[in-house]
């Protein structure tokens, strides 16, 4: 595995850990508002991000690359409201999608086809990540962020359970 790819993968590991941090910060915001279902959704999301980072970490090691963990940036703690949080989530995921696509492109230019095959899982996962955030934006907009509708949405989101990412189990 060449240095360019090694550096790019280490950078992506950092971004995935930052994603986990960001969603934990959002979970704490919801928890403080007593929105336990929303907080649960974000806690599960944070665990999934940890898996995304570990998938890349494992791939680097498997290929004889050097893992270099960097500092994790401080996530925001100032969130306006529920809609704002899911809009920020979508923007963040769009940014991650861009980074995954750049990595995929790099695997082509560097002719690293093992990496390219591995990254397909991430390309597909990002489609789901963006769709999930968009769905929540739409639901909050349709139902409104108050009263009984908020209670019902919170209850729906409390049902989300963490399942280890298949990139770690296959
Ligand atoms: Fe690891 Fe939410 O993408």
């Amino acid at each position: 595995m060449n240095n360019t790819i090694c550096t790019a993968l280490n950078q992506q590991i950092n971004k995935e850990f930052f994603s986990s941090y960001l969603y934990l910060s959002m979970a704490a915001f919801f928890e403080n508002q007593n929105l336990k279902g929303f907080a649960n959704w974000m806690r599960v999301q944070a665990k999934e991000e940890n898996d995304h980072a570990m998938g890349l970490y494992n791939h680097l090691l498997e290929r004889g690359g050097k893992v270099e963990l960097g500092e994790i940036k401080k996530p925001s703690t100032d969130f306006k409201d529920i809609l704002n949080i899911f809009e920020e989530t979508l923007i963040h995921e769009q940014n991650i999608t861009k980074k995954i696509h750049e990595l995929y492109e790099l695997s082509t230019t560097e002719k690293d086809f093992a990496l390219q095959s591995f990254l397909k899982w991430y390309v597909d996962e990002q489609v789901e990540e963006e769709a999930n955030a968009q769905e929540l934006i739409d639901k909050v907009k349709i139902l409104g962020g108050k009263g009984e509708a908020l209670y019902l949405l919170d209850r729906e989101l409390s049902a989300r359970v963490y399942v280890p990412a298949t990139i770690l189990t296959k």
Side-chain angles (χ1 to χ4, degrees):
M1 175 172 281
N2 73 33
N3 281 344
T4 312
I5 287 179
C6 217
T7 304
L9 283 179
N10 274 303
Q11 282 168 351
Q12 191 61 33
I13 289 173
N14 190 272
K15 286 189 191 309
E16 300 292 349
F17 278 130
F18 172 75
S19 302
S20 185
Y21 241 39
L22 175 65
Y23 296 136
L24 274 182
S25 188
M26 290 173 171
F29 174 87
F30 285 135
E31 200 89 39
N32 284 338
Q33 315 257 325
N34 224 356
L35 291 167
K36 304 263 189 223
F38 283 90
N40 170 65
W41 194 92
M42 281 297 174
R43 280 174 186 255
V44 171
Q45 188 66 21
K47 282 186 187 162
E48 284 196 359
E49 297 300 349
N50 204 71
D51 287 357
H52 299 171
M54 291 310 294
L56 294 158
Y57 174 101
N58 290 343
H59 184 76
L60 246 177
L61 291 177
E62 216 178 331
R63 306 274 313 280
K66 188 179 177 197
V67 169
E68 284 186 81
L69 299 176
E71 282 176 34
I72 301 170
K73 197 172 69 172
K74 180 181 185 290
S76 173
T77 49
D78 294 324
F79 305 109
K80 216 170 77 207
D81 52 31
I82 300 173
L83 184 59
N84 165 256
I85 284 193
F86 290 118
E87 282 170 345
E88 279 199 31
T89 300
L90 180 60
I91 291 168
H92 179 69
E93 289 300 335
Q94 286 167 337
N95 194 266
I96 295 291
T97 300
K98 206 169 136 242
K99 295 292 165 197
I100 294 290
H101 290 179
E102 282 170 12
L103 266 179
Y104 195 89
E105 206 177 340
L106 184 68
S107 72
T108 307
T109 52
E110 297 290 330
K111 293 190 169 42
D112 187 336
F113 301 115
L115 176 64
Q116 187 161 92
S117 170
F118 168 80
L119 285 174
K120 282 196 176 118
W121 185 90
Y122 286 82
V123 172
D124 295 342
E125 176 71 6
Q126 281 313 119
V127 174
E128 204 185 307
E129 293 282 77
E130 287 191 29
N132 288 344
Q134 186 64 59
E135 187 187 325
L136 284 165
I137 290 171
D138 295 343
K139 279 189 177 168
V140 171
K141 278 186 181 166
I142 292 164
L143 297 170
K146 290 196 191 99
E148 194 182 347
L150 178 62
Y151 171 78
L152 289 174
L153 192 51
D154 190 60
R155 207 169 64 176
E156 182 187 321
L157 298 187
S158 71
R160 187 180 188 191
V161 277
Y162 165 71
V163 179
T166 50
I167 195 75
L168 294 183
T169 53
K170 69 178 181 182

